[in-house]
Amino acid sequence: MAVENWVAKEIESLTAFRRDLHQNPELLYDVTRTASSVATALRAAGVDEVIEGIGRSGVVGVIHGQTDTKGRMIGLRADMDALPIDETSGKPWASLVPGKMHACGHDGHSTMLLGAARQLAETRAFDGTVIVIFQPAEEGGAGAKAMIDDGLFERWPCNEVYGMHNRPNLPVGEFTIAPGPIMAAVDEVRITVTGRGGHAARPNDTIDPLPVAAALIQAIQTVVSRTVDPLDSAVVSLCTIHAGNAFNVVPQAIELTGTVRTLREEVRDHVEAQLSRLVEHIAAGFGGVGNLDYVRHYPVTVNHARETELAAAAAQEVAGMDKVCVDMPPIMGGEDFSFMLNEVPGAMINVGNGSSAGLHHPEYDFNDDVIPWGCSYWTTLVRQRLPLA
Ligand SMILES: [Zn+2]
Ligand SMILES: [Zn+2]
């Protein structure tokens, strides 16, 4: 294993840093304590500039190499936020905050990037500039977009940007990556059917929205099965349904919510259009009014082909050729690093978390044995991408 010696001396303090973040999870943009821990640690590491408050609560660290002959700059990105889940891991470092936990390993991602920043600031063995990006609000708050909108890539015009996520049940010391779409676009669907309420004993005087919703739910099952090309991927899941509050009253309206996941923008547009048609016309067929509110959250996460090869090469140097899968199948979860990949060429890689509960599960915990692998991946990537003359 090509994990470098410097990690050995840092591992104890990095593990302590990770567990401290784990005990003190924060949500979305309210990552005050986490962001200030990261900023303090970056300053202590001798990072040249540490800027807080980018995209409300994001942190950027700037590290200059020994030389800068080509004016090249690369961005390395981690996320800092936790999830609104009650932790049941039973670990000694489990969350101290009821209802919040690091169930996606963002505590580990921040720690691995901090470890890399320490090593890079100490050795400076590269030509150019490295930007370490710690973003808030990955879990549904579009924190990456907030940092971009706040001028992230204008202030630091990166030539390339890279991200990393841990993957449960991939062995520690292994990596997976693929070019092209690797994670889905995440959209939210809110459907309202308005009829006419009234006495349950006089249904003929009402337009009952419940059978409309029932017909609609059935019809929506055909969006993917009958209208999307079988060689494309799409998910339409309706997840909530709300109407009425008395057993003898026909309600005025009913609301359904759900999510749509797609891997291509064309499929995304098609699913939205088809849902819109069904909602409008099925409701109208019953004499009601259907309304679709379609909210686009995260775009498809698309790894750029060249940068995917470069990222895989760094992982292969660290882990060995046979420990890096370069044709990982996509998953229908979403990731807001997609916003950064839409601005700057780059790639996201997965690092094995070993045998563990799944992401977003109350028993999940980031595996501290992954820290050296993640740190070494980052520093190797920098050494390969910004080689000294
Ligand atoms: Zn997550
Ligand atoms: Zn995550």
Side-chain angles (χ1 to χ4, degrees):
M1 145 165 162
V3 165
E4 292 143 32
N5 289 334
W6 71 270
V7 182
K9 75 178 164 64
E10 295 289 336
I11 196 67
E12 208 173 310
S13 88
L14 288 172
T15 300
F17 184 86
R18 203 285 292 182
R19 293 178 181 182
D20 176 71
L21 294 190
H22 193 87
Q23 279 190 312
N24 297 280
E26 296 174 297
L27 303 184
L28 292 168
Y29 289 95
D30 299 324
V31 289
T32 322
R33 184 187 186 279
T34 310
S36 95
S37 292
V38 165
T40 303
L42 290 174
R43 289 192 184 101
V47 166
D48 297 300
E49 281 174 78
V50 178
I51 303 93
E52 296 176 73
I54 307 288
R56 285 160 70 180
S57 41
V59 179
V60 172
V62 182
I63 310 167
H64 297 294
Q66 279 171 28
T67 54
D68 189 0
T69 59
K70 302 192 186 82
R72 288 183 49 77
M73 181 180 283
I74 72 169
L76 312 178
R77 169 274 198 182
D79 37 17
M80 301 188 286
D81 58 320
L83 283 153
I85 297 175
D86 268 314
E87 179 162 358
T88 61
S89 74
K91 296 282 172 65
W93 51 87
S95 171
L96 298 173
V97 188
K100 298 181 189 175
M101 79 171 281
H102 270 291
C104 207
H106 298 182
D107 50 344
H109 302 166
S110 290
T111 301
M112 294 188 292
L113 189 52
L114 168 65
R118 279 186 187 167
Q119 198 264 6
L120 294 169
E122 190 181 304
T123 65
R124 313 269 170 178
F126 58 94
D127 179 71
T129 306
V130 172
I131 306 296
V132 287
I133 303 164
F134 296 80
Q135 73 151 85
E138 193 287 320
E139 298 288 359
K145 182 169 189 300
M147 291 187 82
I148 294 165
D149 291 347
D150 206 6
L152 177 67
F153 293 127
E154 276 100 59
R155 290 176 72 173
W156 299 285
C158 296
N159 301 100
E160 294 162 25
V161 66
Y162 294 93
M164 174 161 47
H165 207 292
N166 76 94
R167 179 169 273 207
N169 300 319
L170 178 70
V172 174
E174 295 192 17
F175 293 82
T176 62
I177 193 168
I182 55 160
M183 296 184 81
V186 177
D187 298 333
E188 181 181 342
V189 165
R190 199 165 281 276
I191 297 165
T192 314
V193 174
T194 307
R196 184 167 64 241
H199 202 296
R202 295 277 309 158
N204 50 306
D205 290 338
T206 73
I207 297 171
D208 187 350
L210 272 77
V212 185
L216 200 47
I217 291 166
Q218 294 292 350
I220 284 173
Q221 307 311 311
T222 67
V223 174
V224 175
S225 69
R226 303 287 85 189
T227 75
V228 171
D229 185 327
L231 298 180
D232 271 314
S233 298
V235 176
V236 180
S237 288
L238 293 174
C239 301
T240 73
I241 175 161
H242 289 287
N245 45 31
F247 83 100
N248 56 355
V249 177
V250 171
Q252 177 77 9
I254 190 164
E255 189 183 66
L256 310 164
T257 67
T259 186
V260 173
R261 308 297 171 101
T262 48
L263 290 176
R264 290 200 305 123
E265 286 299 322
E266 294 82 353
V267 180
R268 191 183 201 185
D269 292 342
H270 162 77
V271 171
E272 178 179 358
Q274 180 64 9
L275 281 174
S276 172
R277 261 193 296 278
L278 292 175
V279 169
E280 183 190 342
H281 294 290
I282 288 177
F286 284 78
V289 176
N291 181 63
L292 171 70
D293 191 10
Y294 193 97
V295 185
R296 295 184 175 221
H297 287 294
Y298 293 173
V300 183
T301 304
V302 183
N303 271 349
H304 297 240
R306 174 174 168 272
E307 285 68 25
T308 300
E309 278 179 27
L310 299 167
Q316 283 161 345
E317 183 181 322
V318 172
M321 292 298 282
D322 59 331
K323 301 292 186 200
V324 182
C325 165
V326 295
D327 55 2
M328 145 190 109
I331 60 171
M332 302 309 274
E335 166 62 59
D336 89 341
F337 186 59
S338 51
F339 287 110
M340 294 194 185
L341 291 178
N342 281 355
E343 300 291 319
V344 176
M348 176 145 209
I349 198 164
N350 288 295
V351 60
N353 195 49
S355 157
S356 79
L359 300 173
H360 297 203
H361 189 281
E363 285 169 18
Y364 170 85
D365 188 32
F366 180 82
N367 184 345
D368 291 312
D369 293 344
V370 180
I371 295 173
W373 294 98
C375 290
S376 298
Y377 166 72
W378 283 134
T379 53
T380 303
L381 181 66
V382 169
R383 189 161 23 77
Q384 291 188 356
R385 297 305 305 131
L386 300 175
L388 284 170

